[in-house]
Amino acid sequence: MESHSVPARVLVVGTGFIAAQHAAAIHAEPRLELAGVVDIDPGRAAAASRANGGVPWFTDLGAALAETGADGCVVCTPNDTHADIAVQVAAAGAHLLIEKPLATDVAGARRAVTAFARAGRVLMPAHSHRHYDYALAVREAIGSGDLGAVDLVRLSILGGWIWPDWRGWMLDPARSGGHALHNGVHLLDLVTWWTGDTPETVYARGRRRTAPELGIHDYLEMTVGFAGGAVAVCEMSRGHAPTSYARRDVLVTGTGGILTLPWDAEAGTVTDESGTALLPPGGTDGFATQIAAWADALTGAPPAVTGADGLLAVAMGVAAERSIADGRPVRVADVLEEAA
Amino acid sequence: MSGALRTLPWGSGGLGTQDHQRDMYLPAFRGHPGFTVVETAAGDLTTAIAETGAQVVSVCAPPEERAARIVEALRAGCHVLADKPLALDVADAERVAAVARETGLVCMPAHHHRFGAAVQAARGALAAGRIGLPWNVQADFLVDGGDPCPQGELVNFGLYPVDVVLALTGQAVERVHALPGRDPARSTLLLLDHEHGLTSTITVGRLHGTAAAPGMALHRYRVSGSGGVMDVDATRPGATVRTASGTRTAWHGPGTVGRMLTALHAAIVTGRPPEVGPGDALAALRVTDAATRSLTLGTPVSLDPSEV
Ligand SMILES: NC(=O)c1ccc[n+]([C@@H]2O[C@H](COP(=O)([O-])OP(=O)(O)OC[C@H]3O[C@@H](n4cnc5c(N)ncnc54)[C@H](O)[C@@H]3O)[C@@H](O)[C@H]2O)c1
């Protein structure tokens, strides 16, 4: 991938809800070219092909890799398939941008990291929030030193929108890894990246707000204690009322000051019969930034998010799920050691 | 003013350098039509009460002897406004509660933040079922600048947001987990489990001081309920005035201390139970005590159900 004149050829694997955003980002990135789409569901694979100018479609990843000779894959399949698919992509000598979580357990995440280290290929977990304007703004404010040493962090991403119905794999802890793995890793990764610190303990509390029969906790509160002295409270909710509720809120205090990023900081609001909501913030497309960072990594730049980052986020997610079950703080090092 | 309650300030002690008598209570008593401040040179409280004919004592005796002075004032037949903390340990707080019960006099711990207009409105709305059954509260009580309390800010003002959460929800705390901030004396994170599965999370801290100090950097409560969410900025109401010399908040109505005195006055003259009493001081003290234990142990601490 030395030359910019020859775009890297990329497969999108798993053509469900989030895949379209990745495909759009690939089309917009001159260093990448969509080589084909893969989905075990032939109808979806074919539809994705049609939506993307008739690129070749496949129901088998091995066949797709062999036939297209793709340089890289963007994987958007359900969480429980990630580790095996990652190992398969590494074995084929391709690079990988993989949706979060890197795996649903630490052993799987470790297998993926090891496979890519051996293959000498790029592994970048898609912790997409790192590429959003708000997250970059917080990171830059902390990095500027204006806030001094970070003390408390609050990151709350709250919604009332649960996945469509019981058939969604996101609701099945065996497939999603549980909500701490599914969505929690976004926040756990972000606060770790913001503070630049090593997470030591996770104390988490979970609720089943939408229905007592839920197998996952649709509301999560994950409190991270960092080795350097910072503490972070991460709230992830799909269980708020009303269902239209959508808020993101950030607070950072440090020895030098305080940063607040309230829910309405990013755009104007609109009030109508259904209440008050945020207008779309006209910021940067995070998926475009993410794919550009991956393209950078393919040409030798260090990846914006490393396999080790993805592994750590998985370990923190596992610690959170365990803490909810046990009602006590869980040491991240213990979780990492078990699966060593 | 005739008809106003004769009020004797007693003591100017507090945690660290603070003097709430001079800075908070006296100006509020002086500015309140329901009270008139009386003074004396007497060296002991019982004599001072006798000399002035005081009906109310504003007790800011040093924390070590505060409970004893409150009891002395009650025994002398006076109603009491007690600086916080009303007592340093649970045993003393229980003693005060027992004497207040026995005498039937008003003994109000100065938990003035629960009287804030925004908090009171939220409390009323919650009690009226506006957001259904509350299941979570997220609170921040972050003071901007000022002198750090030598005993630590958890002991100093940790009880304020705990008291507000209890006032808002009415759900007793059953379990406490606490995490230290970067400087454990300056900031603490409280994670509380209440009755009925309610959880609350409270940051308590003192910032080193920004250009806007001193003041409240953040004082807010987000309450999530089965039917909706309430965001309560406890620093409101207030107009923001930005000028060449800086930014300040302006408001016409009484502040939290003035509103507390109105509640004190109402309880005394009507004989109705006061909105906050020694039991509330005890409840908050049990939480901050448990938090201190949790900080030492690194694990959650259960409160004895018999105490709740
Ligand atoms: N970064 C974000 O903001 C974000 C948002 C949503 C989802 N995600 C992640 O993206 C991934 C996909 O989520 P989604 O919501 O698009 O799910 P989805 O169910 O809509 O799509 C998944 C697709 O993968 C296909 N699939 C299943 N197993 C496969 C396999 N072994 N090989 C090939 N295809 C397979 C399914 O048929 C389906 O079409 C998940 O890992 C999820 O955590 C990330």
Side-chain angles (χ1 to χ4, degrees):
Chain A
M1 255 61 54
E2 305 66 34
S3 163
H4 283 193
S5 56
V6 184
R9 304 183 64 256
V10 177
L11 294 171
V12 167
V13 184
T15 57
F17 166 74
I18 205 68
Q21 289 196 50
H22 287 291
I26 291 167
H27 293 313
E29 171 52 62
R31 291 170 294 173
L32 303 176
E33 182 182 292
L34 188 64
V37 291
V38 185
D39 200 296
I40 49 168
D41 179 329
R44 289 203 198 164
S49 165
R50 279 194 300 280
N52 287 284
V55 294
W57 61 269
F58 304 86
T59 54
D60 179 71
L61 174 58
L65 284 163
E67 282 183 38
T68 61
D71 304 298
C73 292
V74 175
V75 169
C76 327
T77 57
N79 303 346
D80 61 327
T81 65
H82 288 182
D84 286 346
I85 289 179
V87 170
Q88 189 182 356
V89 169
H95 302 289
L96 178 59
L97 175 67
I98 187 160
E99 265 303 343
K100 51 79 222 171
L102 177 53
T104 48
D105 58 24
V106 174
R110 228 185 260 287
R111 275 199 293 131
V113 170
T114 307
F116 277 88
R118 286 219 187 95
R121 291 294 183 272
V122 171
L123 166 60
M124 189 168 128
H127 284 292
S128 49
H129 280 250
R130 284 204 199 185
H131 309 283
Y132 295 160
D133 287 338
Y134 88 93
L136 288 157
V138 173
R139 162 97 169 169
E140 283 167 19
I142 292 173
S144 73
D146 289 350
L147 297 173
V150 174
D151 185 5
L152 299 166
V153 179
R154 265 188 185 282
L155 169 58
S156 305
I157 302 180
L158 310 176
W161 174 81
I162 191 87
W163 296 275
D165 79 3
W166 292 112
R167 285 165 290 196
W169 59 266
M170 304 80 178
L171 295 180
D172 178 358
R175 300 216 63 196
S176 71
H179 202 191
L181 274 299
H182 185 58
N183 273 328
V185 290
H186 274 308
L187 294 81
L188 296 167
D189 174 69
L190 212 50
V191 297
T192 303
W193 183 59
W194 281 344
T195 58
D197 205 341
T198 306
E200 231 170 27
T201 58
V202 179
Y203 178 70
R205 296 187 289 186
R207 306 295 290 256
R208 298 183 167 97
R209 290 297 319 165
T210 307
E213 295 81 5
L214 277 175
I216 58 150
H217 299 97
D218 53 355
Y219 171 80
L220 290 175
E221 179 195 67
M222 305 169 291
T223 302
V224 185
F226 287 95
V231 183
V233 181
C234 304
E235 285 181 282
M236 173 74 230
S237 180
R238 286 291 175 84
H240 267 75
T243 52
S244 60
Y245 192 68
R247 291 278 195 277
R248 188 181 60 221
D249 188 81
V250 181
L251 163 69
V252 182
T253 72
T255 52
I258 178 169
L259 174 150
T260 53
L261 185 71
W263 76 278
D264 57 353
E266 217 173 328
T269 61
V270 55
T271 301
D272 60 16
E273 306 303 335
S274 58
T276 300
L278 206 59
L279 288 165
T284 316
D285 174 3
F287 276 69
T289 314
Q290 175 171 267
I291 212 85
W294 188 56
D296 289 344
L298 300 195
T299 52
V305 185
T306 67
D309 295 337
L311 169 65
L312 183 59
V314 167
M316 294 169 81
V318 169
E321 290 288 346
R322 192 171 301 170
S323 175
I324 292 171
D326 296 355
R328 332 196 111 244
V330 172
R331 293 176 55 80
V332 178
D334 291 348
V335 175
L336 283 167
E337 264 164 36
E338 278 166 27
Chain B
M1 178 189 285
S2 65
L5 298 166
R6 299 171 62 78
T7 302
L8 173 70
W10 193 257
S12 289
L15 298 172
T17 55
Q18 64 194 206
D19 183 348
H20 287 159
Q21 190 79 278
R22 179 196 61 205
D23 298 336
M24 284 166 55
Y25 308 135
L26 260 181
F29 274 119
R30 291 214 166 96
H32 198 290
F35 300 89
T36 180
V37 174
V38 295
E39 266 151 318
T40 166
D44 76 283
L45 178 55
T46 306
T47 311
I49 291 168
E51 267 181 21
T52 57
Q55 297 160 285
V56 181
V57 183
S58 170
V59 179
C60 290
E64 315 78 65
E65 58 164 285
R66 188 169 295 158
R69 294 293 82 78
I70 296 168
V71 168
E72 186 177 349
L74 290 169
R75 291 266 181 241
C78 287
H79 303 284
V80 169
L81 177 77
D83 191 21
K84 61 89 208 168
L86 168 141
L88 285 180
D89 59 41
V90 166
D92 269 355
E94 277 172 344
R95 196 158 60 90
V96 169
V99 175
R101 221 176 299 123
E102 186 193 319
T103 58
L105 293 161
V106 176
C107 176
M108 185 176 278
H111 294 186
H112 61 97
H113 285 289
R114 68 152 67 198
F115 292 98
V119 170
Q120 289 277 313
R123 181 190 181 172
L126 269 165
R130 189 76 176 76
I131 59 163
L133 298 170
W135 54 272
N136 178 257
V137 183
Q138 298 286 329
D140 295 301
F141 191 96
L142 299 171
V143 173
D144 192 0
D147 286 343
C149 174
Q151 286 88 343
E153 306 303 351
L154 172 64
V155 171
N156 181 23
F157 47 59
L159 62 80
Y160 280 138
V162 169
D163 181 64
V164 172
V165 170
L166 292 174
L168 284 172
T169 64
Q171 301 306 299
V173 175
E174 296 176 340
R175 197 164 176 265
V176 177
H177 186 47
L179 273 103
R182 172 170 293 281
D183 175 352
R186 264 188 192 272
S187 56
T188 311
L189 179 67
L190 300 175
L191 299 131
L192 312 181
D193 294 334
H194 302 246
E195 296 172 275
H196 295 113
L198 177 83
T199 54
S200 68
T201 302
I202 305 172
T203 67
V204 176
R206 186 189 294 279
L207 307 185
H208 286 263
T210 71
M216 218 54 208
L218 217 50
H219 184 194
R220 62 180 182 177
Y221 302 81
R222 185 204 326 119
V223 189
S224 298
S226 57
V229 181
M230 205 142 60
D231 286 301
V232 184
D233 183 341
T235 65
R236 293 178 190 180
T240 302
V241 184
R242 187 190 288 258
T243 67
S245 58
T247 301
R248 69 183 171 88
T249 300
W251 197 247
H252 170 74
T256 55
V257 177
R259 293 171 59 96
M260 171 177 72
L261 294 192
T262 297
L264 175 67
H265 186 265
I268 293 171
V269 301
T270 64
R272 279 204 302 271
E275 194 164 321
V276 59
D280 299 288
L282 200 50
L285 187 59
R286 284 200 171 112
V287 172
T288 52
D289 269 6
T292 306
R293 272 180 283 147
S294 173
L295 286 172
T296 310
L297 295 169
T299 57
V301 168
S302 289
L303 297 190
D304 182 345
S306 67
E307 298 176 344
V308 170

